[in-house]
């Protein structure tokens, strides 16, 4: 952020009075521009013991596999956003179920939220942002080609819970801010 | 948003190619400015069967009661944010517990997330954004003076679950976008 989105004047990055974090502050109109994590929401759709995966057609991680997920929009619930992403990326009408995982992706300033979902009909297709969509048996999940650590965490917890006959929810954090080169 | 925060040129509100929602688009530098819901996170701190409430010292709803909560910041987890808000608003060191509620506040473009929490010592104070902080018995919660519907939903589910000896999590939505005057 270089300019005030309210008045167009240059902004400065400093700690406003009474605050304790630096913000983008506009001295011309007085607006303080807060920046907060964005929510990414998705689901693990299942149909007859197979899971719906999409191969990404856009960056980041083009060509790698993931479950349908994307940025939550204003005016929708988490569940509505998860269902919309399945519709957009896999042309699939899913029924969103229980909360499955919450992943704090700290370096990306994102919170990823995933739900269980059922895909009543084996009806799906390749959405505009996908290269390929498939229903796979758990044994056939392409673990080496999964797009994101949050997807892998989510799929593994999903399968563990399913094997144990439970529907828990799981928190974790991923932080590459402090990543160092190997010695 | 009137000006591009990247280059300072005026922005236009329209649907970009390949999208299906209007966005603030800068024709000068090509940046598309996405706007997404912000996450508010809080907790219900309990100490010896009493709950910690704060009377708000700032708008909106100045003078009304709530649990410690506020906007999640970049670089922190939901649990860290909830603990930080308790520290800032009630000078209280809490241990964050299980997920309690998720409230989609659609008209405000916010997602409110609350956790259970324990307050090991009855040590608290009045933070900069509070007028008053108190530990109350459930029977003494000032229901008529609770600041927000998401706070009331959260406190009621908390007490119901506690009475039933369980720790569930609860989703709901609040939508005042379509509110009409009574006939």
């Amino acid at each position: 952020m270089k300019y005030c989105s309210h008045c167009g004047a240059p902004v400065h990055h400093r700690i406003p009075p009474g605050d304790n974090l630096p913000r983008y502050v506009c001295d011309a109109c007085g607006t303080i521009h807060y920046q907060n994590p964005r929510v990414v929401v998705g689901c693990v759709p299942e149909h007859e013991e197979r899971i719906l995966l999409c191969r990404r057609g856009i960056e980041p991680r083009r060509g790698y596999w993931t479950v349908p997920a994307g940025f939550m929009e204003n005016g929708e619930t988490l569940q509505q956003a998860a269902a919309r992403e399945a519709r957009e990326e896999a042309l699939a009408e899913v029924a969103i179920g229980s909360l499955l995982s919450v992943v704090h992706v700290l370096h990306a300033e994102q919170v990823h939220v995933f739900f269980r979902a059922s895909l009543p009909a084996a009806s799906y297709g390749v959405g505009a942002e996908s290269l390929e969509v498939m229903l796979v048996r758990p044994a056939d999940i392409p673990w080496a080609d999964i797009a994101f650590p949050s997807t892998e965490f989510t799929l593994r917890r999903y399968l563990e819970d399913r094997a144990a006959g439970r529907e828990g929810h799981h928190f974790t954090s991923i932080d590459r801010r402090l990543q160092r080169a190997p010695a």
Side-chain angles (χ1 to χ4, degrees), chain A:
Chain A
M1 171 168 258
K2 296 177 190 165
Y3 297 92
C4 176
S5 55
H6 186 67
C7 79
V11 291
H12 299 93
H13 199 238
R14 58 178 161 72
I15 300 176
D19 205 337
N20 48 29
L21 287 174
R23 314 283 182 185
Y24 290 100
V25 178
C26 177
D27 292 323
C29 75
T31 302
I32 301 171
H33 299 276
Y34 296 93
Q35 298 190 311
N36 306 90
R38 289 182 200 248
V39 179
V40 169
V41 59
C43 68
V44 179
E46 182 174 326
H47 176 79
E48 293 180 355
E49 303 192 353
R50 291 186 297 164
I51 290 168
L52 191 75
L53 295 182
C54 305
R55 198 151 74 89
R56 289 176 62 81
I58 55 170
E59 296 295 346
R61 302 291 280 160
R62 185 175 194 275
Y64 289 83
W65 293 91
T66 186
V67 295
F71 286 104
M72 184 183 191
E73 302 277 6
N74 286 336
E76 64 186 4
T77 66
L78 288 160
Q79 288 88 344
Q80 288 167 344
R84 176 182 53 71
E85 291 291 342
R87 200 175 302 123
E88 290 178 2
E89 299 190 347
L91 313 184
E93 291 298 327
V94 300
I96 299 297
S98 57
L99 180 66
L100 168 56
S101 66
V102 179
V103 184
H104 305 104
V105 188
L106 295 165
H107 51 279
E109 301 175 344
Q110 295 173 357
V111 182
H112 293 195
V113 179
F114 293 91
F115 293 87
R116 292 174 185 82
S118 65
L119 181 65
S123 167
Y124 59 90
V126 181
E129 298 185 350
S130 302
L131 295 175
E132 198 179 340
V133 174
M134 64 177 178
L135 271 178
V136 290
R137 273 173 249 282
D140 298 328
I141 291 174
W143 292 109
D145 293 320
I146 293 295
F148 303 109
S150 66
T151 318
E152 178 173 348
F153 174 83
T154 295
L155 284 169
R156 291 199 186 277
R157 296 300 83 72
Y158 179 81
L159 296 175
E160 284 170 9
D161 277 5
R162 202 178 62 155
R166 65 180 177 231
E167 294 195 9
H169 64 274
H170 308 274
F171 285 89
T172 195
S173 300
I174 298 168
D175 189 355
R176 292 182 177 163
R177 291 176 300 179
L178 302 174
Q179 205 171 48
R180 287 176 294 185

